[in-house]
Amino acid sequence: MFNSLVHSASIAAKNTAIGFLGTALALIGIGFLTAALWIGLSQAYGAQIGATIIGSLYIAIGIVVLVVLHHHGGPKVAVAAPQSQIASLTPMQSVVVAFMQGLDAASIAKRHGGFGES
């Protein structure tokens, strides 16, 4: 079980590093595209209009992303561990697993209006 945890952690760390690199490169690209858009708009329409257009564009994109996230962030399906792994857990590992399951259940309940929220 420990070997599978180490392997999973290694894969997660590798995926996180690649994701971070991809995100950093995309942000750098967005910076250059913003600068190019700024140059073009400020030459064509002036600095104030250029800044207004770019700012409005970023606000609109941000609102669209938040709306999509809000409407499509549906419930996650929990994957049950095989019985052989559950049986081999130490008591402390069982407590940690139960705690994480409780956090997950609370998160799902909160998203669906549980805990008296409406």
Side-chain angles (χ1 to χ4, degrees), residues 101-112 115:
Q101 288 173 339
L103 284 177
D104 188 46
S107 174
I108 291 170
K110 188 174 183 180
R111 274 190 302 235
H112 292 121
F115 300 125

Side-chain angles (χ1 to χ4, degrees), residues 21-104:
L21 179 62
T23 301
L25 291 173
L27 289 173
I28 290 169
I30 288 171
F32 276 103
L33 289 174
T34 300
L37 182 62
W38 168 255
I39 291 168
L41 288 173
S42 65
Q43 287 178 351
Y45 302 106
Q48 187 173 8
I49 299 296
T52 302
I53 292 172
I54 292 173
S56 299
L57 180 67
Y58 277 125
I59 288 173
I61 291 170
I63 289 171
V64 168
V65 168
L66 290 175
V67 166
V68 168
L69 180 67
H70 179 71
H71 288 297
H72 295 293
K76 306 293 186 250
V77 177
V79 177
Q83 287 296 329
S84 62
Q85 286 184 350
I86 293 173
S88 66
L89 294 178
T90 66
M92 189 61 187
Q93 289 172 330
S94 297
V95 170
V96 171
V97 168
F99 179 74
M100 297 303 291
Q101 288 173 339
L103 284 177
D104 188 46

Side-chain angles (χ1 to χ4, degrees), residues 1-41:
M1 168 144 175
F2 184 71
N3 288 337
S4 70
L5 282 174
V6 170
H7 180 68
S8 296
S10 172
I11 290 172
K14 196 179 301 183
N15 288 341
T16 300
I18 292 170
F20 178 75
L21 179 62
T23 301
L25 291 173
L27 289 173
I28 290 169
I30 288 171
F32 276 103
L33 289 174
T34 300
L37 182 62
W38 168 255
I39 291 168
L41 288 173

